[in-house]
Amino acid sequence: MVDVVLYIACTLDGYIATPDGGVDWLSQVEAEGEDYGYQVFFDSVDALVMGSRTYRQILDFGEWPYGDKPCWVMSRQPLPQAGSGIHLSQETIEELLVRLQAQGVKRLWLVGGAALVDSFERTGGIQQYIISLVPHLLGDGVPLFTAGRPPRDLKLIDSRSYPSGLVQLHYHRRNHN
């Protein structure tokens, strides 16, 4: 089974972006020499999966930040290619996970956004949640989780607080048989 990990930052009130997709609020926790465990996490994943809106937004930031790590972009429309390791997919979540497992992917980073997180949540595809809470209240925006998804019981594995005020929570999904 592919271990799907949601590694994401959100505001204290649960938003991952402003209503227009902005993430400028993330800059308030930028600190010299502090990556909040990002590099260790990035090195631990075999591949990435993201939605088309997240992909377009990352392209707007400039240079592709994920090097040659394989990335699947879930999209029903053509998108520009940022590199040879980018794969566009119209598969269901279940089909994608079966294919990635057959290709030897053991750990997959669910980069975002909200619609894709919702799709993975509805299929029970997320095993780990690493959520960095940024000490900011947006009041409105793109929520990390949407209403109407199935309930999930989670077990806290680790929590860390940083001088910037960011708190990182690491949960595993509890399996119910």
Side-chain angles (χ1 to χ4, degrees), residues 1-6 41 44-49 70 72 74 91-111 120 123-129 172-173 175:
M1 181 158 107
V2 177
D3 184 23
V4 179
V5 183
L6 174 62
F41 171 76
S44 78
V45 297
D46 302 310
L48 298 80
V49 63
W72 277 262
M74 306 302 283
E91 298 165 290
T92 66
I93 301 302
E94 295 90 344
E95 291 168 339
L96 176 69
L97 292 176
V98 166
R99 185 158 61 86
L100 293 179
Q101 182 173 355
Q103 293 178 0
V105 172
K106 292 182 175 40
R107 191 165 156 100
L108 181 68
W109 176 12
L110 173 54
V111 177
F120 269 84
T123 65
I126 303 173
Q127 285 76 46
Q128 294 185 56
Y129 301 75
H172 280 198
R173 187 178 81 194
N175 292 325

Side-chain angles (χ1 to χ4, degrees), residues 39 51-52 57 70 76 85-86 88 97 108 126 136 150 161 167:
Q39 192 61 55
S52 60
Q57 184 176 29
R76 290 186 168 71
I86 309 295
L88 300 181
L97 292 176
L108 181 68
I126 303 173
H136 186 78
S161 61
V167 175

Side-chain angles (χ1 to χ4, degrees), residues 17-117:
T18 61
D20 63 354
V23 291
D24 291 344
W25 49 271
L26 285 170
S27 65
Q28 81 177 55
V29 292
E30 289 177 1
E32 183 83 26
E34 179 60 73
D35 76 349
Y36 301 106
Y38 172 80
Q39 192 61 55
V40 169
F41 171 76
F42 185 76
D43 292 344
S44 78
V45 297
D46 302 310
L48 298 80
V49 63
M50 65 182 65
S52 60
R53 282 182 236 139
T54 300
Y55 177 71
R56 280 192 209 99
Q57 184 176 29
I58 290 169
L59 291 181
D60 287 344
F61 293 155
E63 187 176 328
W64 184 248
Y66 306 114
D68 59 358
K69 194 154 297 215
C71 177
W72 277 262
V73 180
M74 306 302 283
S75 178
R76 290 186 168 71
Q77 51 193 276
L79 294 168
Q81 290 286 113
S84 62
I86 309 295
H87 311 279
L88 300 181
S89 176
Q90 294 184 18
E91 298 165 290
T92 66
I93 301 302
E94 295 90 344
E95 291 168 339
L96 176 69
L97 292 176
V98 166
R99 185 158 61 86
L100 293 179
Q101 182 173 355
Q103 293 178 0
V105 172
K106 292 182 175 40
R107 191 165 156 100
L108 181 68
W109 176 12
L110 173 54
V111 177
L116 190 61
V117 169

